[in-house]
Amino acid sequence: MKRKNIALFALLVMGFWACQSGENVTEEKVFIDTLTIDRHLSVLASDDFMGRKPFTEGEEKTIHYLESELKAMGLKPGNGNSYFQEVPLVEITGTQSPTMTVTGQGKTMSFETGNDVVIYTERVEEEVSVKDSELVYAGFGIVAPEYGWNDYEGIDVKGKTVVVLVNDPGFGSGDSTFFKGDQMTYYGRWTYKYEEAARQGAAGVLIVHETVPAGYPWLVVQSSWTGAKLNLDDANPPYKCAIQGWITRNTAVQLFQAAGIKDYSGIAKTKGFKPLALGLKASMSVQNEIKRDMSHNVVAMLEGTKRPDEYVIYSAHWDHLGVGEPVDGDSIYNGAHDNASGTVGLLTIAETFAKMETKPERSVVFLFVTAEEQGLLGSAYYAQNPLFPANQSVANINIDGLPAYGEMKDLTITGYGQSELDNYAKAEADKQGRYVIPDPDPAKGYFFRSDHFNFAKIGIPALYASGSYESKEKGVEFIEGKTQEYLDIRYHQQADNYLPEEWDLKGIAQDAVLLFNVGNKLANETYFPKWNEGSEFKAKRDEDMSLKKK
């Protein structure tokens, strides 16, 4: 089909910044146009880039394209003399034992891996197993002092396998003050449950899957936690449980019935819940093939004119899923929306900063991270090995999937209420005539499912926002239809292609302008935004900032 001409869309950004520090910033005229967006998308989402998967030729093409563009803008390398931060990864291809065997209470039960249970390991070992490991029911597997909650209180689970529920106790309670009600907290994420079980010294951890509180069906578990998985190849790896995995609700019911426990979900939502030994023992194993290689984050910076040792960090992940089995003759996961659009948005923001006549007072960092699709690995490595100190990092602005449906009336903030960055975003949305809404589906925990989460974990306030609810011209139903179509046939599928004859790039430009404005505001004041009361990340930030003052 012949490509339609894409008309130039220019947005004028004019700001007279009334900073909280009392300083004002000179008015600047800045343009972000759709021709630049189209140029970058046509390259990064092309078949030539082979789905941008780490460890492939697609990675080499992607990171060198980004390096070349950042150099051409005149931006400095962000890692000494290099635009790259090496990220050591290990690929583990696990083969589950055919069954998980459970004995005790006068019974022997066998559960088929794949259908009844899915198990894997992050330990870099050729064979990992648990044998006759005692099963302990640890409720939601949460230790949250700010909520007065400890699901491990009074029991030693070292060497044992814990069974825990998905999500957190607030979900479905009807009480927005109990944890955060239906809005998932960090404690509801499966990643947290694995981490906490490891901190408790458990040998294994099994999460009970249920579609509604998990936010996805068992099919997603079967596909996402089997086959080759990338992990960080840590020189000094933290303790990890030997076995991590999921069990179906039906499997859980059989285990709890054998242990004589009826309302296992109800008792776990009671504040006085105590962990229970089930009187059962489990055996299972994983055989691994191991491959090591090096991937790369790409990082550039614009040095601040007055406070160069304070940093505003933008991030977007450059990677996608590579090449797979053909579907309708297409084998390449181009990842045009996820996340070529965000990568391009960040490139245009970087170029906008580079062209400014009046440079920002704080340094601005442009970080393109690897292996997000493999578990937020590039940003996790950066968080463990930050190039800029966390307590000198003002904020993170993360970009992951920008709207290709034209200008939007809304700005949806995922994780709304977490930090003062909401106020910055709202101020800029107001200037564009847009309204701000929180994520309309907070139970799925999207705040914990993109790279900003790893910045939050080390205390850095993070903003993750884009237009995603209401089209300026076509309304809410139009976006609902497009969103559902994307989820049904494009998300993590070969059909996520750049279609210039269909995509309306004005929405990407609109969001890029807004996010540029937020970052520029932050880069020209002395204030450090804070996490709000009740945020899971406030304590870490408060601790780090107190150390800075000493």
Side-chain angles (χ1 to χ4, degrees):
M1 184 180 294
K2 185 177 180 181
R3 174 180 292 193
K4 294 181 180 179
N5 291 327
I6 301 177
L8 176 65
F9 172 70
L11 288 172
L12 177 64
V13 182
M14 300 178 67
F16 187 75
W17 303 97
C19 300
Q20 296 187 49
S21 59
E23 299 139 337
N24 289 325
V25 179
T26 304
E27 194 173 277
E28 289 276 357
K29 294 182 179 181
V30 181
F31 296 91
I32 292 178
D33 68 80
T34 56
L35 293 181
T36 301
I37 293 169
D38 171 64
R39 176 172 66 84
H40 289 310
L41 274 173
S42 297
V43 174
L44 289 168
S46 69
D47 285 355
D48 190 47
F49 276 56
M50 303 168 59
R52 306 188 308 278
K53 187 176 182 179
F55 291 4
T56 69
E57 183 182 345
E59 165 166 3
E60 292 301 311
K61 290 186 175 184
T62 302
I63 64 173
H64 289 299
Y65 179 82
L66 294 174
E67 178 191 35
S68 174
E69 291 295 318
L70 295 166
K71 278 183 178 179
M73 295 173 195
L75 295 170
K76 294 176 57 177
N79 186 17
N81 295 320
S82 177
Y83 288 92
F84 302 130
Q85 180 186 33
E86 291 188 339
V87 180
L89 298 177
V90 57
E91 183 180 82
I92 302 175
T93 304
T95 301
Q96 306 171 77
S97 55
T99 61
M100 175 181 75
T101 302
V102 177
T103 59
Q105 304 289 3
K107 295 183 177 182
T108 297
M109 295 175 283
S110 183
F111 300 98
E112 184 181 354
T113 55
N115 291 327
D116 304 318
V117 57
V118 168
I119 58 174
Y120 70 104
T121 186
E122 292 182 36
R123 291 189 180 180
V124 188
E125 301 172 13
E126 291 185 357
E127 181 176 4
V128 177
S129 66
V130 295
K131 183 173 177 58
D132 294 329
S133 176
E134 293 183 36
L135 292 180
V136 174
Y137 180 41
F140 287 89
I142 292 171
V143 178
E146 67 272 34
Y147 293 110
W149 198 276
N150 187 350
D151 283 327
Y152 287 96
E153 186 174 3
I155 196 166
D156 182 0
V157 298
K158 289 183 176 63
K160 302 174 184 178
T161 295
V162 295
V163 178
V164 298
L165 303 182
V166 73
N167 215 304
D168 62 47
F171 181 80
S173 68
D175 181 357
S176 63
T177 65
F178 184 34
F179 280 68
K180 292 184 179 178
D182 284 344
Q183 179 178 337
M184 184 187 288
T185 64
Y186 170 39
Y187 301 112
R189 284 289 288 156
W190 57 269
T191 50
Y192 167 80
K193 296 175 190 294
Y194 290 163
E195 292 164 1
E196 189 58 50
R199 282 190 287 269
Q200 299 290 331
V205 52
L206 299 172
I207 301 174
V208 179
H209 175 270
E210 292 194 51
T211 297
V212 175
Y216 40 81
W218 179 251
L219 178 64
V220 172
V221 175
Q222 291 174 306
S223 62
S224 298
W225 279 271
T226 56
K229 294 285 292 179
L230 288 176
N231 297 277
L232 292 180
D233 191 11
D234 299 311
N236 298 295
Y239 177 83
K240 297 180 184 294
C241 297
I243 295 292
Q244 300 174 159
W246 296 74
I247 58 176
T248 65
R249 184 180 184 278
N250 184 56
T251 299
V253 168
Q254 292 181 62
L255 294 177
F256 288 121
Q257 283 180 343
I261 298 172
K262 295 180 179 179
D263 185 15
Y264 67 87
S265 178
I267 62 175
K269 294 183 178 182
T270 305
K271 194 166 186 178
F273 170 81
K274 302 293 182 186
L276 301 168
L278 298 184
L280 302 170
K281 295 182 178 181
S283 299
M284 57 200 126
S285 64
V286 179
Q287 300 280 339
N288 292 325
E289 294 181 15
I290 298 167
K291 173 186 174 185
R292 287 179 163 88
D293 212 329
M294 193 72 68
S295 191
H296 303 82
N297 292 334
V298 182
V299 57
M301 68 178 294
L302 180 64
E303 192 168 13
T305 58
K306 291 186 178 180
R307 293 177 298 284
D309 59 348
E310 296 176 358
Y311 308 92
V312 176
I313 303 175
Y314 285 91
S315 61
H317 74 91
W318 59 255
D319 67 296
H320 201 54
L321 301 175
V323 180
E325 293 297 321
V327 174
D328 296 329
D330 186 359
S331 61
I332 300 176
Y333 293 85
N334 298 90
H337 176 75
D338 182 16
N339 185 36
S341 67
T343 302
V344 169
L346 182 47
L347 278 172
T348 63
I349 289 170
E351 184 175 14
T352 303
F353 272 105
K355 288 181 176 179
M356 291 176 68
E357 292 182 10
T358 303
K359 302 303 183 188
E361 297 179 2
R362 285 168 160 162
S363 295
V364 184
V365 176
F366 310 99
L367 178 64
F368 302 82
V369 295
T370 183
E372 189 269 357
E373 302 292 4
Q374 305 293 327
L376 316 183
L377 300 182
S379 57
Y381 185 82
Y382 177 90
Q384 294 173 16
N385 305 272
L387 300 174
F388 312 99
N391 63 3
Q392 293 171 217
S393 298
V394 178
N396 167 243
I397 301 171
N398 186 54
I399 309 173
D400 192 352
L402 294 180
Y405 314 121
E407 287 188 287
M408 305 292 286
K409 289 184 70 173
D410 73 286
L411 180 72
T412 298
I413 300 179
T414 302
Y416 183 82
Q418 284 277 8
S419 81
E420 293 176 340
L421 291 176
D422 294 349
N423 303 330
Y424 290 75
K426 184 180 185 306
E428 299 308 325
D430 288 346
K431 293 176 184 178
Q432 292 185 338
R434 302 165 72 179
Y435 60 86
V436 167
I437 59 171
D439 178 7
D441 198 2
K444 292 184 179 178
Y446 287 119
F447 186 77
F448 314 108
R449 293 165 64 173
S450 191
D451 291 299
H452 57 277
F453 174 48
N454 283 317
F455 291 91
K457 286 175 71 174
I458 60 172
I460 301 172
L463 177 67
Y464 179 34
S466 69
S468 61
Y469 182 70
E470 182 177 4
S471 163
K472 186 174 180 179
E473 294 182 358
K474 299 180 181 179
V476 173
E477 290 186 2
F478 171 76
I479 295 300
E480 286 178 345
K482 287 294 185 181
T483 300
Q484 194 58 53
E485 177 192 78
Y486 172 74
L487 292 173
D488 288 345
I489 67 172
R490 303 190 194 284
Y491 175 63
H492 285 191
Q493 302 296 323
Q494 292 91 330
D496 185 7
N497 295 313
Y498 177 41
L499 306 172
E501 65 277 7
E502 296 182 15
W503 284 34
D504 185 341
L505 304 179
K506 293 189 292 293
I508 295 177
Q510 181 190 33
D511 273 358
V513 166
L514 186 146
L515 296 175
F516 164 80
N517 280 346
V518 172
N520 193 37
K521 166 81 168 166
L522 291 164
N524 284 288
E525 64 182 22
T526 59
Y527 186 71
F528 278 74
K530 296 180 175 62
W531 294 103
N532 293 332
E533 292 294 333
S535 171
E536 305 94 304
F537 312 107
K538 185 177 186 300
K540 174 61 176 171
R541 183 64 161 185
D542 289 349
E543 177 187 356
D544 282 359
M545 298 307 283
S546 67
L547 293 174
K548 180 181 177 182
K549 294 175 182 178
K550 292 180 180 179

